[in-house]
């Protein structure tokens, strides 16, 4: 059993489509997303209140972009959260990229410095989509949002707690897309194919292997409640705590 995927608290995960994964690997970059494209309606449709027109506040909010990652947990490993495979990884046909959080954080610091904030999402039963700004000028709006990043960008409803999200946030006055160059932070790539299928014969594995000769390409399988993470030889890479319960009715 290879120890590199045992729980250490230093792994973060990024679920994505297969074609997006190829772009990420080929360019060694992660694209920052805009909040207007988020799947959380409380982030997409914020209710803004203040002494200045709402369009000015919304314009300031639109300058922020983010990358969402999934944290590891000793009781719930980041790669085994099945809803994330369904929501973000092409219904299980996509990819889970595994990064070293220390190396990735260093890449963020080197490229964006104080413009970036890396923090866990706090989940609250009292969270709302309201943003109340103080002051009557655009400068005061900018100052307010900057000093309230945690409540504005790093707090979500308990409905999203299962995502175990870590967020990288940047602010850029320019409107063009931003990218994080991740250098050598990639630890492994995980596919999600049935155990009975020789995933090394899949086109997905062969394409990834041609791009990542020295990076482990693993297979996450789930069947009848049993979940396993296997290497290219079909051997278990790590133990997965807890199992889904499946009740069979006759």
């Amino acid at each position: 059993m290879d120890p590199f995927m045992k729980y250490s608290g230093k792994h973060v995960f990024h679920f994505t489509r297969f074609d997006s994964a190829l772009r990420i690997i080929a360019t060694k970059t992660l694209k920052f997303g805009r909040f207007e494209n988020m799947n959380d309606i409380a982030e997409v449709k914020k209710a803004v209140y203040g002494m200045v027109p709402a369009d000015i506040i919304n314009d300031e909010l639109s300058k922020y972009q983010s990358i969402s990652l999934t944290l590891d947990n000793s009781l719930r490993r980041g790669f085994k959260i099945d809803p994330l495979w369904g929501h973000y990884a092409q219904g299980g046909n996509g990819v889970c990229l595994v990064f070293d959080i220390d190396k990735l954080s260093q890449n963020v610091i080197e490229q964006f410095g104080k413009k970036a904030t890396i923090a866990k999402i706090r989940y609250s039963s009292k969270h709302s989509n309201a943003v109340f700004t103080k002051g009557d000028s655009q400068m005061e709006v900018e100052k307010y949002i900057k000093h309230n990043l945690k409540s504005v960008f790093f707090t979500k409803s308990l409905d999203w707690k299962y995502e175990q999200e870590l967020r990288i946030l940047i602010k850029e006055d320019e409107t063009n897309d931003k990218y994080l160059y991740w250098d050598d932070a990639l630890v492994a790539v995980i596919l999600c194919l049935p155990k009975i299928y020789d995933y090394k014969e899949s086109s997905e594995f062969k394409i990834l292997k041609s791009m990542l000769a020295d990076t482990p390409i693993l297979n996450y399988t789930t069947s009848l409640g049993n979940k396993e993470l296997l290497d290219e030889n079909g051997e278990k890479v790590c133990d997965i705590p807890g199992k889904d319960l499946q009740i069979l009715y006759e």
Side-chain angles (χ1 to χ4, degrees):
M1 185 182 294
D2 194 323
F4 86 97
M5 277 301 293
K6 287 184 177 180
Y7 175 73
S8 65
K10 292 189 175 183
H11 294 130
V12 289
F13 306 87
H14 184 69
F15 294 84
T16 189
R17 296 174 55 86
F18 185 77
D19 55 350
S20 296
L22 297 184
R23 177 193 60 77
I24 291 169
I25 293 168
T27 62
K28 284 197 169 187
T29 61
L30 286 166
K31 183 181 178 181
F32 283 88
R34 299 179 184 278
F35 283 89
E36 62 197 51
N37 299 322
M38 294 292 186
N39 58 0
D40 181 355
I41 58 175
E43 294 194 299
V44 173
K45 300 180 179 180
K46 288 188 179 295
V48 298
Y49 303 91
M51 299 292 289
V52 298
D55 59 340
I56 292 179
I57 301 174
N58 279 319
D59 180 65
E60 181 63 20
L61 291 170
S62 71
K63 295 176 182 177
Y64 289 87
Q65 299 180 37
S66 71
I67 293 173
S68 294
L69 303 162
T70 299
L71 288 161
D72 214 0
N73 185 298
S74 61
L75 297 178
R76 196 182 192 202
R77 300 301 305 274
F79 61 81
K80 62 154 282 190
I81 305 175
D82 288 356
L84 298 183
W85 281 101
H87 295 328
Y88 304 113
Q90 214 171 330
N93 296 309
V95 170
C96 177
L97 301 171
V98 188
F99 292 98
D100 180 305
I101 185 55
D102 292 336
K103 291 182 178 180
L104 199 63
S105 297
Q106 187 59 39
N107 294 152
V108 174
I109 293 170
E110 290 172 354
Q111 293 169 59
F112 298 100
K114 294 182 179 180
K115 290 183 178 180
T117 303
I118 307 173
K120 300 177 183 179
I121 294 294
R122 182 178 72 90
Y123 300 97
S124 171
S125 60
K126 299 180 180 180
H127 176 64
S128 77
N129 67 335
V131 176
F132 298 91
T133 61
K134 298 178 180 179
D136 56 5
S137 70
Q138 182 171 352
M139 184 178 296
E140 288 173 309
V141 168
E142 294 176 8
K143 183 178 180 181
Y144 174 84
I145 294 176
K146 180 179 180 180
H147 287 105
N148 290 274
L149 289 182
K150 291 298 176 69
S151 62
V152 177
F153 293 112
F154 291 94
T155 304
K156 298 180 69 170
S157 164
L158 280 175
D159 294 336
W160 300 93
K161 187 175 181 179
Y162 71 91
E163 290 195 339
Q164 298 177 184
E165 184 179 350
L166 178 76
R167 180 169 286 179
I168 303 171
L169 183 77
I170 62 168
K171 179 190 175 184
E172 291 285 354
D173 292 332
E174 300 174 2
T175 59
N176 57 309
D177 294 330
K178 299 298 178 183
Y179 295 85
L180 169 64
Y181 176 70
W182 47 262
D183 195 21
D184 63 344
L186 187 68
V187 174
V189 176
I190 304 176
L191 295 173
C192 182
L193 295 171
K195 186 177 181 180
I196 58 173
Y197 183 63
D198 185 358
Y199 85 110
K200 288 193 296 182
E201 294 301 315
S202 70
S203 58
E204 292 90 347
F205 176 87
K206 291 178 180 179
I207 292 170
L208 288 169
K209 201 63 180 177
S210 68
M211 300 175 71
L212 296 165
D214 300 322
T215 301
I217 301 172
L218 309 176
N219 188 26
Y220 169 65
T221 70
T222 176
S223 176
L224 296 177
N226 294 316
K227 298 183 177 184
E228 295 181 307
L229 186 64
L230 309 174
D231 65 15
E232 297 173 22
N233 297 315
E235 300 293 330
K236 279 203 314 181
V237 175
C238 63
D239 291 322
I240 300 178
K243 292 184 178 180
D244 291 338
L245 297 179
Q246 179 167 334
I247 301 176
L248 302 178
Y249 294 94
E250 296 183 354

